[in-house]
Amino acid sequence: MEGLILVILLVVLGVAGVFLLSSIRVVQQFEHGIVFRLGKVQRGGQLRPGAVRAPGLTAIIPVVERMQKVSRQTITLDVPAQDGITQDNVSVRVDAVVYFRVIDPVKAIVNVQHYGYAVSQVSQTSLRSVIGQSDMQELLGERAKINAYLREIIDEISQGPWGVLIERVEIKDVSLPEGMKRSMARQAEAERERRARIITADGEFQASKRLAAAAEIMSEDPAALQLRLLQTVVEVSAEKNSTLIMPLPVEVLRFFDRAAGGTPRGGEGEGEREEKLALGERLAKAEEELAKAAEQTTLESPDDVPPVIGLEEPKREEPTQGVSGPREDRQRGITDGGPQPGGATPSG
């Protein structure tokens, strides 16, 4: 009799242990515990007390209650690429990624079956809808606007009825047809070429204005042109393997002429024009006198040539035979017009 009682006691203790072990549950920190009592989580249209268990160690009534766990972590969902036609009739292929989490575990378990699959299907249909309502330029250049609009559409469907919050939606890639890619590449290349030409033309215009200003400044002092030429020679001569051919401008000759006491700087003034005019008159008179002397007599030597009126230097100290020396004549542009030995007629 005592052995039977001991067996019954051991059986009762074993059943109690199994019952106790089956009633203990552990809820992780990132989970919600939803307890269904006889298949119900609500009572009288309201949530039953103790229906949602906090993370940690908890116990339920075996057979009567059943616990289902729901993750509170943010879930990353890849939306498969969707083919569509934009508002401007361009065929595109767009894929996206959706980030969501459960904010109401009771709705996520009771109101929808497999809330993750439901969110995936809603995301695909919403993505097709957004593709049809947008043009290609918006899909390529206004990603933030498309992402916000797509998130608003999906969140409106999932948050209220399903207790799922859409945190973020991002379009990953927009695939275009090869012909459209080539057309866009040509357009971008043409735009870059247009900008390059405009910049080059603007640079040429500014350079021409600067060069015109520099030429105006150099024209006031021809020595500046010589200095600029020498500076250019110095810059070119920095290359050891180059052969330099330097032209000699007329301004350089004028510069040396002024340095030797020639015509003063400043161009032709009134005095210079009068001097040239007087010189022309004297040349004409000299030609007439030479022609008359050649007709009247034949001279035996150049020293017998009569003096020419108008060509005598008033400040000459040495006695002359009436004809200025060859050096002074060359300075005035007059060649030797005296008769040659043997009775040759002088040329005008």
PDB file of all heavy atoms in Angstrom, residues 77-112:
ATOM      1  N   LEU A  77      13.091  44.978 -46.586  1.00  0.00           N
ATOM      2  CA  LEU A  77      12.382  44.208 -47.610  1.00  0.00           C
ATOM      3  C   LEU A  77      12.822  44.683 -48.991  1.00  0.00           C
ATOM      4  O   LEU A  77      12.687  45.864 -49.316  1.00  0.00           O
ATOM      5  CB  LEU A  77      10.865  44.377 -47.457  1.00  0.00           C
ATOM      6  CG  LEU A  77       9.994  43.709 -48.517  1.00  0.00           C
ATOM      7  CD1 LEU A  77      10.123  42.192 -48.446  1.00  0.00           C
ATOM      8  CD2 LEU A  77       8.532  44.112 -48.338  1.00  0.00           C
ATOM      9  N   ASP A  78      13.355  43.774 -49.787  1.00  0.00           N
ATOM     10  CA  ASP A  78      13.727  44.090 -51.163  1.00  0.00           C
ATOM     11  C   ASP A  78      12.497  43.968 -52.063  1.00  0.00           C
ATOM     12  O   ASP A  78      11.854  42.911 -52.112  1.00  0.00           O
ATOM     13  CB  ASP A  78      14.818  43.150 -51.666  1.00  0.00           C
ATOM     14  CG  ASP A  78      16.174  43.478 -51.071  1.00  0.00           C
ATOM     15  OD1 ASP A  78      16.391  44.659 -50.768  1.00  0.00           O
ATOM     16  OD2 ASP A  78      16.994  42.557 -50.891  1.00  0.00           O
ATOM     17  N   VAL A  79      12.207  45.049 -52.775  1.00  0.00           N
ATOM     18  CA  VAL A  79      11.100  45.043 -53.730  1.00  0.00           C
ATOM     19  C   VAL A  79      11.648  44.629 -55.086  1.00  0.00           C
ATOM     20  O   VAL A  79      12.568  45.271 -55.598  1.00  0.00           O
ATOM     21  CB  VAL A  79      10.434  46.425 -53.816  1.00  0.00           C
ATOM     22  CG1 VAL A  79       9.271  46.405 -54.792  1.00  0.00           C
ATOM     23  CG2 VAL A  79       9.970  46.871 -52.434  1.00  0.00           C
ATOM     24  N   PRO A  80      11.153  43.564 -55.687  1.00  0.00           N
ATOM     25  CA  PRO A  80      11.673  43.125 -56.989  1.00  0.00           C
ATOM     26  C   PRO A  80      11.519  44.223 -58.042  1.00  0.00           C
ATOM     27  O   PRO A  80      10.640  45.102 -57.955  1.00  0.00           O
ATOM     28  CB  PRO A  80      10.821  41.893 -57.315  1.00  0.00           C
ATOM     29  CG  PRO A  80      10.293  41.430 -55.998  1.00  0.00           C
ATOM     30  CD  PRO A  80      10.110  42.656 -55.173  1.00  0.00           C
ATOM     31  N   ALA A  81      12.395  44.181 -59.044  1.00  0.00           N
ATOM     32  CA  ALA A  81      12.355  45.177 -60.121  1.00  0.00           C
ATOM     33  C   ALA A  81      11.034  45.096 -60.871  1.00  0.00           C
ATOM     34  O   ALA A  81      10.578  44.015 -61.230  1.00  0.00           O
ATOM     35  CB  ALA A  81      13.530  44.967 -61.068  1.00  0.00           C
ATOM     36  N   GLN A  82      10.457  46.267 -61.093  1.00  0.00           N
ATOM     37  CA  GLN A  82       9.167  46.369 -61.765  1.00  0.00           C
ATOM     38  C   GLN A  82       9.337  47.079 -63.097  1.00  0.00           C
ATOM     39  O   GLN A  82       9.971  48.130 -63.174  1.00  0.00           O
ATOM     40  CB  GLN A  82       8.167  47.134 -60.891  1.00  0.00           C
ATOM     41  CG  GLN A  82       7.956  46.542 -59.513  1.00  0.00           C
ATOM     42  CD  GLN A  82       7.361  45.162 -59.554  1.00  0.00           C
ATOM     43  OE1 GLN A  82       6.392  44.914 -60.280  1.00  0.00           O
ATOM     44  NE2 GLN A  82       7.928  44.245 -58.781  1.00  0.00           N
ATOM     45  N   ASP A  83       8.774  46.487 -64.158  1.00  0.00           N
ATOM     46  CA  ASP A  83       8.772  47.105 -65.483  1.00  0.00           C
ATOM     47  C   ASP A  83       7.549  48.000 -65.621  1.00  0.00           C
ATOM     48  O   ASP A  83       6.433  47.624 -65.228  1.00  0.00           O
ATOM     49  CB  ASP A  83       8.760  46.034 -66.575  1.00  0.00           C
ATOM     50  CG  ASP A  83      10.027  45.208 -66.579  1.00  0.00           C
ATOM     51  OD1 ASP A  83      11.085  45.768 -66.268  1.00  0.00           O
ATOM     52  OD2 ASP A  83       9.957  43.993 -66.874  1.00  0.00           O
ATOM     53  N   GLY A  84       7.771  49.164 -66.193  1.00  0.00           N
ATOM     54  CA  GLY A  84       6.667  50.098 -66.374  1.00  0.00           C
ATOM     55  C   GLY A  84       6.981  51.116 -67.451  1.00  0.00           C
ATOM     56  O   GLY A  84       8.111  51.196 -67.953  1.00  0.00           O
ATOM     57  N   ILE A  85       5.974  51.891 -67.793  1.00  0.00           N
ATOM     58  CA  ILE A  85       6.093  52.956 -68.792  1.00  0.00           C
ATOM     59  C   ILE A  85       5.789  54.271 -68.101  1.00  0.00           C
ATOM     60  O   ILE A  85       4.743  54.427 -67.462  1.00  0.00           O
ATOM     61  CB  ILE A  85       5.137  52.736 -69.979  1.00  0.00           C
ATOM     62  CG1 ILE A  85       5.452  51.411 -70.664  1.00  0.00           C
ATOM     63  CG2 ILE A  85       5.244  53.882 -70.974  1.00  0.00           C
ATOM     64  CD1 ILE A  85       4.511  51.078 -71.798  1.00  0.00           C
ATOM     65  N   THR A  86       6.701  55.199 -68.204  1.00  0.00           N
ATOM     66  CA  THR A  86       6.539  56.480 -67.541  1.00  0.00           C
ATOM     67  C   THR A  86       5.486  57.331 -68.229  1.00  0.00           C
ATOM     68  O   THR A  86       4.932  56.962 -69.273  1.00  0.00           O
ATOM     69  CB  THR A  86       7.888  57.224 -67.512  1.00  0.00           C
ATOM     70  OG1 THR A  86       8.311  57.461 -68.855  1.00  0.00           O
ATOM     71  CG2 THR A  86       8.937  56.395 -66.800  1.00  0.00           C
ATOM     72  N   GLN A  87       5.252  58.487 -67.649  1.00  0.00           N
ATOM     73  CA  GLN A  87       4.236  59.381 -68.199  1.00  0.00           C
ATOM     74  C   GLN A  87       4.626  59.922 -69.559  1.00  0.00           C
ATOM     75  O   GLN A  87       3.757  60.250 -70.367  1.00  0.00           O
ATOM     76  CB  GLN A  87       3.997  60.529 -67.209  1.00  0.00           C
ATOM     77  CG  GLN A  87       2.738  61.343 -67.491  1.00  0.00           C
ATOM     78  CD  GLN A  87       2.456  62.337 -66.391  1.00  0.00           C
ATOM     79  OE1 GLN A  87       3.292  62.531 -65.511  1.00  0.00           O
ATOM     80  NE2 GLN A  87       1.298  62.959 -66.416  1.00  0.00           N
ATOM     81  N   ASP A  88       5.943  60.025 -69.843  1.00  0.00           N
ATOM     82  CA  ASP A  88       6.406  60.484 -71.148  1.00  0.00           C
ATOM     83  C   ASP A  88       6.768  59.316 -72.071  1.00  0.00           C
ATOM     84  O   ASP A  88       7.609  59.459 -72.960  1.00  0.00           O
ATOM     85  CB  ASP A  88       7.605  61.424 -70.995  1.00  0.00           C
ATOM     86  CG  ASP A  88       8.695  60.827 -70.125  1.00  0.00           C
ATOM     87  OD1 ASP A  88       8.459  59.752 -69.530  1.00  0.00           O
ATOM     88  OD2 ASP A  88       9.770  61.423 -70.030  1.00  0.00           O
ATOM     89  N   ASN A  89       6.156  58.135 -71.831  1.00  0.00           N
ATOM     90  CA  ASN A  89       6.240  56.968 -72.723  1.00  0.00           C
ATOM     91  C   ASN A  89       7.675  56.448 -72.879  1.00  0.00           C
ATOM     92  O   ASN A  89       8.158  56.224 -73.989  1.00  0.00           O
ATOM     93  CB  ASN A  89       5.657  57.303 -74.107  1.00  0.00           C
ATOM     94  CG  ASN A  89       4.190  57.673 -74.041  1.00  0.00           C
ATOM     95  OD1 ASN A  89       3.445  57.128 -73.228  1.00  0.00           O
ATOM     96  ND2 ASN A  89       3.777  58.616 -74.873  1.00  0.00           N
ATOM     97  N   VAL A  90       8.349  56.251 -71.770  1.00  0.00           N
ATOM     98  CA  VAL A  90       9.681  55.661 -71.755  1.00  0.00           C
ATOM     99  C   VAL A  90       9.619  54.388 -70.911  1.00  0.00           C
ATOM    100  O   VAL A  90       9.160  54.420 -69.764  1.00  0.00           O
ATOM    101  CB  VAL A  90      10.726  56.633 -71.173  1.00  0.00           C
ATOM    102  CG1 VAL A  90      12.094  55.962 -71.114  1.00  0.00           C
ATOM    103  CG2 VAL A  90      10.785  57.896 -72.002  1.00  0.00           C
ATOM    104  N   SER A  91      10.077  53.290 -71.467  1.00  0.00           N
ATOM    105  CA  SER A  91      10.064  52.018 -70.749  1.00  0.00           C
ATOM    106  C   SER A  91      11.237  51.983 -69.774  1.00  0.00           C
ATOM    107  O   SER A  91      12.389  52.159 -70.163  1.00  0.00           O
ATOM    108  CB  SER A  91      10.168  50.851 -71.733  1.00  0.00           C
ATOM    109  OG  SER A  91       9.059  50.843 -72.626  1.00  0.00           O
ATOM    110  N   VAL A  92      10.936  51.715 -68.496  1.00  0.00           N
ATOM    111  CA  VAL A  92      11.957  51.678 -67.458  1.00  0.00           C
ATOM    112  C   VAL A  92      11.749  50.435 -66.594  1.00  0.00           C
ATOM    113  O   VAL A  92      10.685  49.815 -66.605  1.00  0.00           O
ATOM    114  CB  VAL A  92      11.916  52.942 -66.568  1.00  0.00           C
ATOM    115  CG1 VAL A  92      12.286  54.183 -67.359  1.00  0.00           C
ATOM    116  CG2 VAL A  92      10.549  53.110 -65.926  1.00  0.00           C
ATOM    117  N   ARG A  93      12.793  50.110 -65.865  1.00  0.00           N
ATOM    118  CA  ARG A  93      12.764  48.993 -64.922  1.00  0.00           C
ATOM    119  C   ARG A  93      13.321  49.508 -63.602  1.00  0.00           C
ATOM    120  O   ARG A  93      14.488  49.889 -63.525  1.00  0.00           O
ATOM    121  CB  ARG A  93      13.586  47.818 -65.447  1.00  0.00           C
ATOM    122  CG  ARG A  93      13.512  46.557 -64.606  1.00  0.00           C
ATOM    123  CD  ARG A  93      14.351  45.449 -65.234  1.00  0.00           C
ATOM    124  NE  ARG A  93      14.307  44.232 -64.449  1.00  0.00           N
ATOM    125  CZ  ARG A  93      13.380  43.296 -64.567  1.00  0.00           C
ATOM    126  NH1 ARG A  93      12.415  43.439 -65.462  1.00  0.00           N
ATOM    127  NH2 ARG A  93      13.414  42.210 -63.810  1.00  0.00           N
ATOM    128  N   VAL A  94      12.484  49.505 -62.544  1.00  0.00           N
ATOM    129  CA  VAL A  94      12.816  50.142 -61.278  1.00  0.00           C
ATOM    130  C   VAL A  94      12.698  49.122 -60.155  1.00  0.00           C
ATOM    131  O   VAL A  94      11.716  48.361 -60.096  1.00  0.00           O
ATOM    132  CB  VAL A  94      11.890  51.347 -60.989  1.00  0.00           C
ATOM    133  CG1 VAL A  94      12.306  52.059 -59.713  1.00  0.00           C
ATOM    134  CG2 VAL A  94      11.889  52.315 -62.161  1.00  0.00           C
ATOM    135  N   ASP A  95      13.705  49.096 -59.280  1.00  0.00           N
ATOM    136  CA  ASP A  95      13.619  48.289 -58.061  1.00  0.00           C
ATOM    137  C   ASP A  95      13.856  49.186 -56.860  1.00  0.00           C
ATOM    138  O   ASP A  95      14.447  50.267 -56.972  1.00  0.00           O
ATOM    139  CB  ASP A  95      14.619  47.136 -58.085  1.00  0.00           C
ATOM    140  CG  ASP A  95      16.043  47.622 -58.292  1.00  0.00           C
ATOM    141  OD1 ASP A  95      16.223  48.820 -58.575  1.00  0.00           O
ATOM    142  OD2 ASP A  95      16.969  46.806 -58.178  1.00  0.00           O
ATOM    143  N   ALA A  96      13.394  48.730 -55.679  1.00  0.00           N
ATOM    144  CA  ALA A  96      13.437  49.564 -54.483  1.00  0.00           C
ATOM    145  C   ALA A  96      13.658  48.683 -53.260  1.00  0.00           C
ATOM    146  O   ALA A  96      13.680  47.451 -53.342  1.00  0.00           O
ATOM    147  CB  ALA A  96      12.156  50.382 -54.344  1.00  0.00           C
ATOM    148  N   VAL A  97      13.811  49.346 -52.108  1.00  0.00           N
ATOM    149  CA  VAL A  97      13.946  48.671 -50.819  1.00  0.00           C
ATOM    150  C   VAL A  97      13.068  49.403 -49.813  1.00  0.00           C
ATOM    151  O   VAL A  97      12.985  50.640 -49.829  1.00  0.00           O
ATOM    152  CB  VAL A  97      15.425  48.638 -50.361  1.00  0.00           C
ATOM    153  CG1 VAL A  97      15.991  50.039 -50.240  1.00  0.00           C
ATOM    154  CG2 VAL A  97      15.575  47.883 -49.057  1.00  0.00           C
ATOM    155  N   VAL A  98      12.391  48.621 -48.944  1.00  0.00           N
ATOM    156  CA  VAL A  98      11.446  49.171 -47.967  1.00  0.00           C
ATOM    157  C   VAL A  98      11.908  48.774 -46.572  1.00  0.00           C
ATOM    158  O   VAL A  98      12.248  47.602 -46.327  1.00  0.00           O
ATOM    159  CB  VAL A  98      10.015  48.666 -48.230  1.00  0.00           C
ATOM    160  CG1 VAL A  98       9.050  49.220 -47.183  1.00  0.00           C
ATOM    161  CG2 VAL A  98       9.549  49.050 -49.622  1.00  0.00           C
ATOM    162  N   TYR A  99      11.903  49.743 -45.650  1.00  0.00           N
ATOM    163  CA  TYR A  99      12.224  49.498 -44.247  1.00  0.00           C
ATOM    164  C   TYR A  99      10.948  49.711 -43.419  1.00  0.00           C
ATOM    165  O   TYR A  99      10.364  50.802 -43.459  1.00  0.00           O
ATOM    166  CB  TYR A  99      13.320  50.453 -43.761  1.00  0.00           C
ATOM    167  CG  TYR A  99      14.602  50.360 -44.542  1.00  0.00           C
ATOM    168  CD1 TYR A  99      14.823  51.158 -45.666  1.00  0.00           C
ATOM    169  CD2 TYR A  99      15.611  49.483 -44.164  1.00  0.00           C
ATOM    170  CE1 TYR A  99      16.000  51.064 -46.390  1.00  0.00           C
ATOM    171  CE2 TYR A  99      16.797  49.387 -44.879  1.00  0.00           C
ATOM    172  CZ  TYR A  99      16.978  50.182 -45.988  1.00  0.00           C
ATOM    173  OH  TYR A  99      18.150  50.086 -46.708  1.00  0.00           O
ATOM    174  N   PHE A 100      10.532  48.687 -42.650  1.00  0.00           N
ATOM    175  CA  PHE A 100       9.304  48.789 -41.853  1.00  0.00           C
ATOM    176  C   PHE A 100       9.489  48.022 -40.553  1.00  0.00           C
ATOM    177  O   PHE A 100      10.372  47.174 -40.421  1.00  0.00           O
ATOM    178  CB  PHE A 100       8.101  48.265 -42.633  1.00  0.00           C
ATOM    179  CG  PHE A 100       8.126  46.780 -42.870  1.00  0.00           C
ATOM    180  CD1 PHE A 100       7.501  45.898 -41.983  1.00  0.00           C
ATOM    181  CD2 PHE A 100       8.775  46.250 -43.974  1.00  0.00           C
ATOM    182  CE1 PHE A 100       7.528  44.531 -42.199  1.00  0.00           C
ATOM    183  CE2 PHE A 100       8.798  44.884 -44.191  1.00  0.00           C
ATOM    184  CZ  PHE A 100       8.179  44.022 -43.302  1.00  0.00           C
ATOM    185  N   ARG A 101       8.604  48.321 -39.583  1.00  0.00           N
ATOM    186  CA  ARG A 101       8.582  47.621 -38.296  1.00  0.00           C
ATOM    187  C   ARG A 101       7.157  47.599 -37.765  1.00  0.00           C
ATOM    188  O   ARG A 101       6.317  48.423 -38.152  1.00  0.00           O
ATOM    189  CB  ARG A 101       9.530  48.271 -37.292  1.00  0.00           C
ATOM    190  CG  ARG A 101       9.174  49.690 -36.915  1.00  0.00           C
ATOM    191  CD  ARG A 101      10.210  50.291 -35.983  1.00  0.00           C
ATOM    192  NE  ARG A 101       9.923  51.682 -35.659  1.00  0.00           N
ATOM    193  CZ  ARG A 101       9.167  52.055 -34.629  1.00  0.00           C
ATOM    194  NH1 ARG A 101       8.617  51.143 -33.824  1.00  0.00           N
ATOM    195  NH2 ARG A 101       8.959  53.341 -34.392  1.00  0.00           N
ATOM    196  N   VAL A 102       6.926  46.656 -36.837  1.00  0.00           N
ATOM    197  CA  VAL A 102       5.594  46.477 -36.260  1.00  0.00           C
ATOM    198  C   VAL A 102       5.442  47.397 -35.059  1.00  0.00           C
ATOM    199  O   VAL A 102       6.290  47.388 -34.147  1.00  0.00           O
ATOM    200  CB  VAL A 102       5.385  45.014 -35.848  1.00  0.00           C
ATOM    201  CG1 VAL A 102       4.028  44.842 -35.168  1.00  0.00           C
ATOM    202  CG2 VAL A 102       5.483  44.100 -37.057  1.00  0.00           C
ATOM    203  N   ILE A 103       4.404  48.219 -35.062  1.00  0.00           N
ATOM    204  CA  ILE A 103       4.138  49.101 -33.927  1.00  0.00           C
ATOM    205  C   ILE A 103       2.907  48.642 -33.139  1.00  0.00           C
ATOM    206  O   ILE A 103       2.734  49.033 -31.987  1.00  0.00           O
ATOM    207  CB  ILE A 103       3.944  50.551 -34.402  1.00  0.00           C
ATOM    208  CG1 ILE A 103       2.804  50.653 -35.414  1.00  0.00           C
ATOM    209  CG2 ILE A 103       5.237  51.085 -35.016  1.00  0.00           C
ATOM    210  CD1 ILE A 103       2.480  52.072 -35.835  1.00  0.00           C
ATOM    211  N   ASP A 104       2.077  47.825 -33.728  1.00  0.00           N
ATOM    212  CA  ASP A 104       0.912  47.259 -33.026  1.00  0.00           C
ATOM    213  C   ASP A 104       0.901  45.755 -33.286  1.00  0.00           C
ATOM    214  O   ASP A 104       0.410  45.293 -34.321  1.00  0.00           O
ATOM    215  CB  ASP A 104      -0.372  47.899 -33.543  1.00  0.00           C
ATOM    216  CG  ASP A 104      -1.575  47.579 -32.655  1.00  0.00           C
ATOM    217  OD1 ASP A 104      -1.504  46.567 -31.913  1.00  0.00           O
ATOM    218  OD2 ASP A 104      -2.565  48.321 -32.711  1.00  0.00           O
ATOM    219  N   PRO A 105       1.449  44.952 -32.361  1.00  0.00           N
ATOM    220  CA  PRO A 105       1.558  43.514 -32.621  1.00  0.00           C
ATOM    221  C   PRO A 105       0.223  42.799 -32.739  1.00  0.00           C
ATOM    222  O   PRO A 105       0.104  41.796 -33.438  1.00  0.00           O
ATOM    223  CB  PRO A 105       2.366  43.002 -31.426  1.00  0.00           C
ATOM    224  CG  PRO A 105       2.178  44.011 -30.352  1.00  0.00           C
ATOM    225  CD  PRO A 105       2.022  45.315 -31.048  1.00  0.00           C
ATOM    226  N   VAL A 106      -0.787  43.276 -32.041  1.00  0.00           N
ATOM    227  CA  VAL A 106      -2.098  42.621 -32.095  1.00  0.00           C
ATOM    228  C   VAL A 106      -2.686  42.738 -33.495  1.00  0.00           C
ATOM    229  O   VAL A 106      -3.178  41.761 -34.081  1.00  0.00           O
ATOM    230  CB  VAL A 106      -3.045  43.224 -31.035  1.00  0.00           C
ATOM    231  CG1 VAL A 106      -4.441  42.612 -31.163  1.00  0.00           C
ATOM    232  CG2 VAL A 106      -2.496  43.008 -29.637  1.00  0.00           C
ATOM    233  N   LYS A 107      -2.634  43.953 -34.091  1.00  0.00           N
ATOM    234  CA  LYS A 107      -3.142  44.135 -35.447  1.00  0.00           C
ATOM    235  C   LYS A 107      -2.306  43.343 -36.459  1.00  0.00           C
ATOM    236  O   LYS A 107      -2.858  42.803 -37.423  1.00  0.00           O
ATOM    237  CB  LYS A 107      -3.145  45.616 -35.816  1.00  0.00           C
ATOM    238  CG  LYS A 107      -4.160  46.439 -35.062  1.00  0.00           C
ATOM    239  CD  LYS A 107      -4.109  47.881 -35.533  1.00  0.00           C
ATOM    240  CE  LYS A 107      -5.151  48.733 -34.797  1.00  0.00           C
ATOM    241  NZ  LYS A 107      -5.129  50.149 -35.255  1.00  0.00           N
ATOM    242  N   ALA A 108      -0.983  43.322 -36.257  1.00  0.00           N
ATOM    243  CA  ALA A 108      -0.120  42.608 -37.197  1.00  0.00           C
ATOM    244  C   ALA A 108      -0.399  41.110 -37.199  1.00  0.00           C
ATOM    245  O   ALA A 108      -0.183  40.433 -38.211  1.00  0.00           O
ATOM    246  CB  ALA A 108       1.351  42.871 -36.848  1.00  0.00           C
ATOM    247  N   ILE A 109      -0.917  40.542 -36.054  1.00  0.00           N
ATOM    248  CA  ILE A 109      -1.207  39.115 -35.977  1.00  0.00           C
ATOM    249  C   ILE A 109      -2.656  38.822 -36.325  1.00  0.00           C
ATOM    250  O   ILE A 109      -2.967  37.852 -37.027  1.00  0.00           O
ATOM    251  CB  ILE A 109      -0.877  38.587 -34.563  1.00  0.00           C
ATOM    252  CG1 ILE A 109       0.619  38.729 -34.290  1.00  0.00           C
ATOM    253  CG2 ILE A 109      -1.302  37.140 -34.415  1.00  0.00           C
ATOM    254  CD1 ILE A 109       1.508  37.970 -35.228  1.00  0.00           C
ATOM    255  N   VAL A 110      -3.550  39.685 -35.887  1.00  0.00           N
ATOM    256  CA  VAL A 110      -4.987  39.398 -36.021  1.00  0.00           C
ATOM    257  C   VAL A 110      -5.532  39.865 -37.365  1.00  0.00           C
ATOM    258  O   VAL A 110      -6.309  39.143 -38.016  1.00  0.00           O
ATOM    259  CB  VAL A 110      -5.765  40.042 -34.844  1.00  0.00           C
ATOM    260  CG1 VAL A 110      -7.273  39.849 -35.018  1.00  0.00           C
ATOM    261  CG2 VAL A 110      -5.307  39.448 -33.517  1.00  0.00           C
ATOM    262  N   ASN A 111      -5.166  41.069 -37.801  1.00  0.00           N
ATOM    263  CA  ASN A 111      -5.829  41.669 -38.958  1.00  0.00           C
ATOM    264  C   ASN A 111      -5.256  41.225 -40.305  1.00  0.00           C
ATOM    265  O   ASN A 111      -5.930  41.394 -41.330  1.00  0.00           O
ATOM    266  CB  ASN A 111      -5.729  43.195 -38.876  1.00  0.00           C
ATOM    267  CG  ASN A 111      -6.524  43.740 -37.707  1.00  0.00           C
ATOM    268  OD1 ASN A 111      -7.282  43.018 -37.058  1.00  0.00           O
ATOM    269  ND2 ASN A 111      -6.344  45.021 -37.415  1.00  0.00           N
ATOM    270  N   VAL A 112      -4.046  40.721 -40.361  1.00  0.00           N
ATOM    271  CA  VAL A 112      -3.429  40.354 -41.632  1.00  0.00           C
ATOM    272  C   VAL A 112      -2.647  39.061 -41.458  1.00  0.00           C
ATOM    273  O   VAL A 112      -2.056  38.810 -40.393  1.00  0.00           O
ATOM    274  CB  VAL A 112      -2.520  41.490 -42.155  1.00  0.00           C
ATOM    275  CG1 VAL A 112      -1.388  41.762 -41.196  1.00  0.00           C
ATOM    276  CG2 VAL A 112      -1.990  41.177 -43.534  1.00  0.00           C
TER     277      VAL A 112
END
